[in-house]
Amino acid sequence: MTIAPTWHLRTLAALGFLSLLAAPMPAAARDGAADALKIGRPWSRATPNGARVAGGYLSITNTGREPDRLTGGTFAEAARVEVHSQSVEGGIARMTPVDAGLPIGPGETVTLEPGSHHLMFTGLKAPLRQGQTVAGTLTFERAGSVPVAFTVEGMAARALGGRATDPGQGGHDHAHGH
């Protein structure tokens, strides 16, 4: 067995460290845009066994001077995250993707909530259980990727903290094929 000279090992260690310093940083770390976004109370609802989709809800306040746009994200328990809008037609809620993303102007707060704009988690890997916390990220056009943790509320929750939904609320139709 041969042992590399000490100078060779030190050179390799130094090169390895320098390559870490030269690695590209995420957009949020590069320009500070994520600091201008305040994420409030991310949550989702528990889902029944076999459910393939769930919704994500939160508020985003842009305290900066530049507009940004929520374009998607990640959710540890789902294959995909989309930004959606919801409209009610004939008592049926229709959810459609917001392909261009959701704008958040300077000084604005945008609330994603049931019956309105929301995140759609598709391809759930397992049922979401009340009390669970699920890691995810929000992806912004300017700020890049921002980590969040979603609290899972009960199936009937209307807000973080578990207020119940209106029992007379109509069903929903995923017009986009989910």
Side-chain angles (χ1 to χ4, degrees), residues 21-169:
L21 291 177
M25 296 177 75
R30 226 183 4 249
D31 65 14
D35 294 338
L37 299 175
K38 305 302 177 207
I39 311 301
R41 305 170 61 94
W43 67 281
S44 187
R45 288 187 182 122
T47 58
N49 290 334
R52 302 290 299 146
V53 298
Y57 314 103
L58 51 94
S59 65
I60 305 164
T61 300
N62 183 348
T63 64
R65 295 182 184 162
E66 298 293 327
D68 211 333
R69 185 176 297 273
L70 176 64
T71 59
T74 64
F75 188 73
E77 293 296 326
R80 185 176 166 127
V81 175
E82 298 174 345
V83 179
H84 279 214
S85 66
Q86 182 173 328
S87 61
V88 178
E89 299 169 20
I92 303 294
R94 296 194 182 276
M95 296 179 209
T96 54
V98 180
D99 294 327
L102 186 62
I104 305 123
E108 288 184 356
T109 296
V110 174
T111 302
L112 284 71
E113 59 190 350
S116 183
H117 285 99
H118 59 278
L119 297 173
M120 183 60 70
F121 306 136
T122 62
L124 288 181
K125 299 171 184 176
L128 300 181
R129 301 288 178 223
Q130 186 172 356
Q132 180 180 9
T133 300
V134 182
T137 62
L138 301 175
T139 305
F140 294 90
E141 189 173 82
R142 187 168 176 275
S145 183
V146 176
V148 293
F150 291 87
T151 300
V152 179
E153 294 289 333
M155 285 186 195
R158 278 293 288 164
L160 187 63
R163 289 185 304 224
T165 58
D166 176 359
Q169 210 174 354

